Amino acid sequence: MTTVTTEAGAPFGAAPPSGDGAIVTEGLTKRFRGGQVAVDALDLSVPRGSVFGFLGPNGSGKTTTIRMLLGLIAPTAGEYAVLGLPQAQALPRVGALVEGPAFYPYLSGMANLLRFDAADPTAARGTARRRAAEALERVGLSAAAGKRFRNYSLGMRQRLAIAAALLGPRELLILDEPTNGLDPQGTREVRALVKEIAADGTTVFVSSHLLAEVEQMCTHAAIMRTGKLVAQGTIASLSGGRVARVRVETPDAADAGRVLGMLGLTDVLVQDGEVTAELGGHAPEAINATLVGEGVAVRGLAVVRPSLEDVFVRLTGEGFDVDG
């Protein structure tokens, strides 16, 4: 448990956060001088073994939350636990990339990792080179170990930063905007790497403002808006907030609407050249067969499932970057 004090200096809270998650917070709050509340009473639960997307537009409190969890800044109020341990015991088991990689441009990837490792008082000096080589191999940079950092691509730089976070055995990896500024190839590289790390049993906590990235990468997510948590859960449960719909492209829109209503589909919307309805428990192939059997010319039929963007807009009434 991490004990938090109020601005007046008195202990805040006596009991640790409940639950056995990799990260658990209760009422976690950060108020800066001048009264700005960056994080407002955050109750977060990150399951062990998950790839957890911490989602929200820029300025929603994501990085401030991460900095509190890592002990870089002090909360104003609330409680939090990382790996269920006191902070001094938890941090050696946590790897982190916050606000982009920072390395010496004139040194190689290997030399940078060795410098990084030398600054860690808990690291075993005798195994530094072996661990650095293993970290480089894990992120796919073994062939570029002797290449100077300034000659790395953006994707390679992000992967080297992740390698630095993996120099020791980690139970939790915290990544703040790991695909920010990357081209599509670099984004795919980092996304694949995160999935591989999670498959090895490490919990990965990924902060991002890119909805599509979180949806492809993560098993769970939390959505932030102006410092407040508006939703959290599995990707499937968050997307389950809206029902799937069937969309039929047809020149016979009125007839198609009539057939969908006859089949018992609800919320049928007829437009020029297109009809949509809530799918419910109906099989799309059966809907298609019935439409054709009733003489409706079907140009296309698709099941449209809700995305995280749909969920965010429904919860907050606004959207943010989907593709970057």
Side-chain angles (χ1 to χ4, degrees), residues 36-163:
Q36 177 194 359
V37 179
V39 178
D40 190 359
L42 175 63
D43 293 338
L44 193 66
S45 180
V46 178
R48 292 178 185 263
S50 65
V51 181
F52 194 98
F54 197 39
L55 185 59
N58 292 328
S60 61
K62 303 188 305 298
T63 297
T64 300
T65 299
I66 287 174
R67 292 175 69 84
M68 286 191 285
L69 294 174
L70 294 174
L72 299 175
I73 59 174
T76 304
E79 299 170 342
Y80 67 95
V82 176
L83 299 175
L85 298 168
Q87 190 175 78
Q89 296 178 27
L91 288 183
R93 307 184 187 194
V94 178
L97 167 60
V98 183
E99 297 182 335
F103 293 105
Y104 293 104
Y106 55 87
L107 292 181
S108 68
M110 171 64 80
N112 265 297
L113 289 191
L114 293 175
R115 288 285 185 95
F116 191 94
D117 190 71
D120 183 356
T122 67
R125 298 291 169 256
T127 61
R129 184 165 290 275
R130 174 181 59 79
R131 288 185 290 102
E134 290 173 350
L136 286 167
E137 182 179 3
R138 192 172 189 187
V139 302
L141 287 178
S142 293
K147 188 176 182 179
R148 290 184 178 183
F149 179 76
R150 67 186 177 195
N151 296 324
Y152 278 20
S153 68
L154 285 176
M156 292 169 70
R157 293 181 181 193
Q158 289 293 80
R159 283 189 283 151
L160 184 66
I162 294 173

Side-chain angles (χ1 to χ4, degrees), residues 8-319:
F12 185 91
S18 58
D20 188 38
I23 298 172
V24 179
T25 74
E26 290 184 359
L28 192 64
T29 300
K30 180 60 180 179
R31 181 181 296 106
F32 291 108
R33 291 180 180 177
Q36 177 194 359
V37 179
V39 178
D40 190 359
L42 175 63
D43 293 338
L44 193 66
S45 180
V46 178
R48 292 178 185 263
S50 65
V51 181
F52 194 98
F54 197 39
L55 185 59
N58 292 328
S60 61
K62 303 188 305 298
T63 297
T64 300
T65 299
I66 287 174
R67 292 175 69 84
M68 286 191 285
L69 294 174
L70 294 174
L72 299 175
I73 59 174
T76 304
E79 299 170 342
Y80 67 95
V82 176
L83 299 175
L85 298 168
Q87 190 175 78
Q89 296 178 27
L91 288 183
R93 307 184 187 194
V94 178
L97 167 60
V98 183
E99 297 182 335
F103 293 105
Y104 293 104
Y106 55 87
L107 292 181
S108 68
M110 171 64 80
N112 265 297
L113 289 191
L114 293 175
R115 288 285 185 95
F116 191 94
D117 190 71
D120 183 356
T122 67
R125 298 291 169 256
T127 61
R129 184 165 290 275
R130 174 181 59 79
R131 288 185 290 102
E134 290 173 350
L136 286 167
E137 182 179 3
R138 192 172 189 187
V139 302
L141 287 178
S142 293
K147 188 176 182 179
R148 290 184 178 183
F149 179 76
R150 67 186 177 195
N151 296 324
Y152 278 20
S153 68
L154 285 176
M156 292 169 70
R157 293 181 181 193
Q158 289 293 80
R159 283 189 283 151
L160 184 66
I162 294 173
L166 296 172
L167 282 169
R170 310 298 188 191
E171 295 179 36
L172 171 65
L173 183 62
I174 297 178
L175 305 176
D176 186 19
E177 301 281 1
T179 60
N180 198 25
L182 298 186
D183 60 18
Q185 177 61 32
T187 297
R188 285 192 293 270
E189 291 173 359
V190 171
R191 185 195 309 146
L193 177 58
V194 166
K195 291 180 178 179
E196 289 172 9
I197 292 169
D200 290 338
T202 300
T203 304
V204 184
F205 183 83
V206 183
S207 162
S208 181
H209 65 285
L210 303 178
L211 287 148
E213 276 306 300
V214 167
E215 197 159 20
Q216 293 182 65
M217 189 189 308
C218 298
T219 60
H220 298 69
I223 299 175
M224 295 284 288
R225 177 175 181 261
T226 61
K228 292 182 179 290
L229 180 70
V230 295
Q232 68 177 317
T234 65
I235 296 294
S237 68
L238 289 173
S239 298
R242 291 180 60 180
V243 297
R245 297 181 66 84
V246 63
R247 181 178 64 208
V248 180
E249 296 178 15
T250 173
D252 307 320
D255 289 338
R258 173 183 56 79
V259 172
L260 295 183
M262 178 184 71
L263 288 172
L265 277 71
T266 59
D267 193 24
V268 179
L269 302 177
V270 179
Q271 302 176 15
D272 186 23
E274 180 179 287
V275 180
T276 65
E278 290 189 3
L279 182 62
H282 297 82
E285 59 273 21
I287 295 172
N288 186 66
T290 302
L291 287 168
V292 173
E294 291 291 324
V296 175
V298 179
R299 291 174 175 165
L301 186 146
V303 175
V304 182
R305 301 193 182 279
S307 66
L308 280 181
E309 182 186 17
D310 298 323
V311 174
F312 187 87
V313 172
R314 177 173 57 85
L315 290 171
T316 68
E318 60 184 73

